[in-house]
Amino acid sequence: AVVSTQSTGDKLGFAGSVREIGFGTTKDRMLVIEECHNSRAVTLFLRGSNSMIVAEAKRSIWDAMCVIRNLVRDNRIVYGGGSNEISAAISVYDAADKNSSIEQYAMRAFGEALESVPMALAENSGLSPFSTLAEVKSRQIKEGNPRLGIDCMDKGESDMRVQHVIETLIGKKQQIMLATQLVRMILKIDDVRSPGEGEE
């Protein structure tokens, strides 16, 4: 018999159990290694009735992992439900009121763009977008509470801290920066030509 001196326990590591398992009526089998010391790996096994459900589950898990990654990079959060966009829009409008130059119009347009997020939330929740936004906006100004947002779940409470609706600050900053960069790119286009235009 040949005994290998290279496959020692300290090189191979340790596992509490190594087993092979099967799944229901399918012939799929998987090798499961459990109770490993100092292991930082996690395996997620997804099953569904069809490939579309499995793909949707994979996307959901990917989104959740991206949120965790963002929180590890920067653990600061903002309240969701459109509350931070409404609060930012109010601040932009206040700054525009103090600006007497032509830039105030661009600032007001930026504020209106920020308000499109809570309006979309209200509309997708079956609420009247304009009246809902106007109500929440006036309450934010009157009560001085920047956490008030769109009550999408119809719980009767607009405070996003009470409803535990949060977003990562880094994710929100990326969204606003990407949208702003896209608009700047579009504004740089000074002419659009259609196919066949100018042909005689």
Side-chain angles (χ1 to χ4, degrees), residues 74-134:
D74 185 350
N75 63 1
R76 291 177 293 175
I77 60 167
V78 292
Y79 291 103
S83 60
N84 56 75
E85 286 89 354
I86 296 171
S87 179
I90 292 169
S91 298
V92 170
Y93 289 138
D94 288 343
D97 290 338
K98 297 171 185 173
N99 192 329
S100 58
S101 70
I102 197 170
E103 291 179 358
Q104 65 176 299
Y105 299 107
M107 295 169 74
R108 291 185 198 286
F110 188 79
E112 290 174 11
L114 288 169
E115 289 179 346
S116 65
V117 174
M119 284 183 68
L121 282 172
E123 188 172 8
N124 292 340
S125 302
L127 304 170
S128 173
F130 292 103
S131 60
T132 305
L133 174 63

Side-chain angles (χ1 to χ4, degrees), residues 67 70-71 74 76-78 166-173:
V67 170
N70 287 343
L71 284 171
D74 185 350
R76 291 177 293 175
I77 60 167
V78 292
I166 59 172
E167 298 180 67
T168 59
L169 176 63
I170 189 172
K172 183 55 65 178
K173 284 169 64 177

Side-chain angles (χ1 to χ4, degrees), residues 22-38:
F23 306 101
T25 57
T26 63
K27 295 181 180 179
D28 296 331
R29 304 189 72 77
M30 183 171 70
L31 187 66
V32 179
I33 304 171
E34 297 176 312
E35 300 172 30
C36 301
H37 289 174
N38 301 319

Side-chain angles (χ1 to χ4, degrees), residues 46-195:
L46 302 176
R47 298 185 72 207
S49 57
N50 57 48
S51 59
M52 188 174 73
I53 290 176
V54 174
E56 186 61 33
K58 283 171 67 176
R59 280 192 293 271
S60 298
I61 289 171
W62 175 257
D63 289 343
M65 288 193 300
C66 287
V67 170
I68 299 300
R69 178 202 61 198
N70 287 343
L71 284 171
V72 168
R73 288 181 182 172
D74 185 350
N75 63 1
R76 291 177 293 175
I77 60 167
V78 292
Y79 291 103
S83 60
N84 56 75
E85 286 89 354
I86 296 171
S87 179
I90 292 169
S91 298
V92 170
Y93 289 138
D94 288 343
D97 290 338
K98 297 171 185 173
N99 192 329
S100 58
S101 70
I102 197 170
E103 291 179 358
Q104 65 176 299
Y105 299 107
M107 295 169 74
R108 291 185 198 286
F110 188 79
E112 290 174 11
L114 288 169
E115 289 179 346
S116 65
V117 174
M119 284 183 68
L121 282 172
E123 188 172 8
N124 292 340
S125 302
L127 304 170
S128 173
F130 292 103
S131 60
T132 305
L133 174 63
E135 180 189 349
V136 174
K137 189 175 172 183
S138 65
R139 283 188 60 197
Q140 271 205 20
I141 296 169
K142 184 179 178 181
E143 300 174 22
N145 185 357
R147 299 183 304 273
L148 296 175
I150 308 300
D151 182 16
C152 298
M153 304 301 288
D154 197 23
K155 292 184 176 180
E157 177 59 66
S158 296
D159 194 325
M160 296 298 109
R161 182 165 68 178
V162 175
Q163 286 205 32
H164 305 291
V165 179
I166 59 172
E167 298 180 67
T168 59
L169 176 63
I170 189 172
K172 183 55 65 178
K173 284 169 64 177
Q174 287 172 349
Q175 292 167 15
I176 294 174
M177 285 174 62
L178 286 172
T180 306
Q181 288 171 4
L182 176 63
V183 171
R184 289 178 63 186
M185 286 173 56
I186 293 171
L187 290 174
K188 286 180 181 179
I189 300 171
D190 59 357
D191 189 20
V192 177
R193 297 192 60 145
S194 301

